[in-house]
Amino acid sequence: LDELHRISILHASAVYERWCLVKIIGTLIKDFDFEPSPGWQELVFRAVTGRPDSASLLFNRKDIGISAILEIQPVLENGRRPDFRLRFSNSDSADVGAIVMDAKFRTRWRRGELTDLLAELVDGKGYGGKRDRVFILQPQANAVSEPSSPLAWGQHCDYGQEAPTNHRTGSIQLAAGTQGGGAQQNLRRLIAIGLQAVFPQPPSPDEEYNWNST
């Protein structure tokens, strides 16, 4: 409550960024059963009130030995600060990279504007580095000018599913209410892309045959 006197009317883009943060945390906890470390609420509060500051939230799934670190406004090696960076790991996995997410509030996108903005984040600001995936979170439906998937989300999301990007860059619709439709599922799908990278590879047919033979 002592901080409330510092909170005034926020710009819509700032409100949207904070709302996206809440949705990411909620998805990790409610949909993927990750348990946040004690005191995480205070870390979030400090990160989003007053002067923007970096913070890291730790989540764990002890039953499967996977942890997640959600960074709020992390400082990259080049000094840039995207909104969020989510990294999964387990005791056996090498560095598989993270998902860098930047929230961009728009009421309308001109044709090609979303693609150009993504290219600026990747090539101009170097958000992805060598390993990380880069995705824009935005609230508008039908923002993908050239859908590459016939599925229901194809008009609203681009997961970089076409070669050669291999799910490295893209954008998803994340919005509230009727405007969002299945937008929460869009976020679950994006997080699952990063999560599956730390799962062990399934055995090859030969390995499976040898295992069954023994």
Side-chain angles (χ1 to χ4, degrees):
L1 292 178
D2 292 338
E3 296 289 336
L4 290 181
H5 70 280
R6 300 172 59 188
I7 302 176
S8 57
I9 296 176
L10 296 175
H11 192 277
S13 60
V15 173
Y16 180 66
E17 178 185 326
R18 288 156 174 74
W19 182 82
C20 287
L21 174 61
V22 171
K23 288 300 178 181
I24 294 170
I25 294 173
T27 300
L28 288 170
I29 296 174
K30 295 180 180 178
D31 296 310
F32 291 96
D33 293 328
F34 278 90
E35 182 179 348
S37 295
W40 66 273
Q41 298 97 329
E42 179 66 21
L43 287 175
V44 172
F45 184 78
R46 290 180 179 178
V48 301
T49 57
R51 181 180 178 181
D53 198 6
S54 299
S56 296
L57 307 179
L58 176 63
F59 301 81
N60 283 294
R61 276 286 305 265
K62 295 181 180 179
D63 55 337
I64 56 177
I66 294 179
S67 63
I69 296 179
L70 175 61
E71 298 172 271
I72 305 169
Q73 299 225 355
V75 180
L76 305 182
E77 291 183 359
N78 61 10
R80 300 286 187 175
R81 298 181 65 175
D83 292 331
F84 317 112
R85 181 167 59 183
L86 178 61
R87 186 183 307 276
F88 294 101
S89 63
N90 61 35
S91 58
D92 300 323
S93 66
D95 182 9
V96 296
I99 304 175
V100 175
M101 292 172 276
D102 217 49
K104 299 296 183 184
F105 181 82
R106 298 286 192 279
T107 56
R108 182 176 62 87
W109 293 94
R110 296 187 300 274
R111 184 175 180 84
E113 183 182 9
L114 183 56
T115 302
D116 292 343
L117 180 56
L118 179 61
E120 178 186 345
L121 296 183
V122 175
D123 300 326
K125 296 186 176 182
Y127 274 12
K130 295 181 179 180
R131 293 181 179 271
D132 295 348
R133 310 173 195 272
V134 181
F135 280 81
I136 290 175
L137 312 179
Q138 62 84 30
Q140 291 303 305
N142 303 306
V144 179
S145 56
E146 297 182 4
S148 57
S149 173
L151 299 177
W153 49 260
Q155 294 281 345
H156 320 297
C157 303
D158 176 10
Y159 291 97
Q161 60 272 10
E162 286 195 328
T165 55
N166 193 27
H167 302 289
R168 295 280 297 173
T169 62
S171 64
I172 68 165
Q173 183 201 15
L174 185 59
T178 55
Q179 172 71 12
Q184 190 68 27
Q185 184 63 26
N186 297 338
L187 179 60
R188 295 188 192 107
R189 193 178 295 111
L190 175 60
I191 291 177
I193 290 174
L195 182 57
Q196 70 181 358
V198 298
F199 284 169
Q201 292 294 324
S204 66
D206 290 339
E207 291 173 333
E208 185 174 1
Y209 173 79
N210 291 335
W211 184 85
N212 290 332
S213 299
T214 57

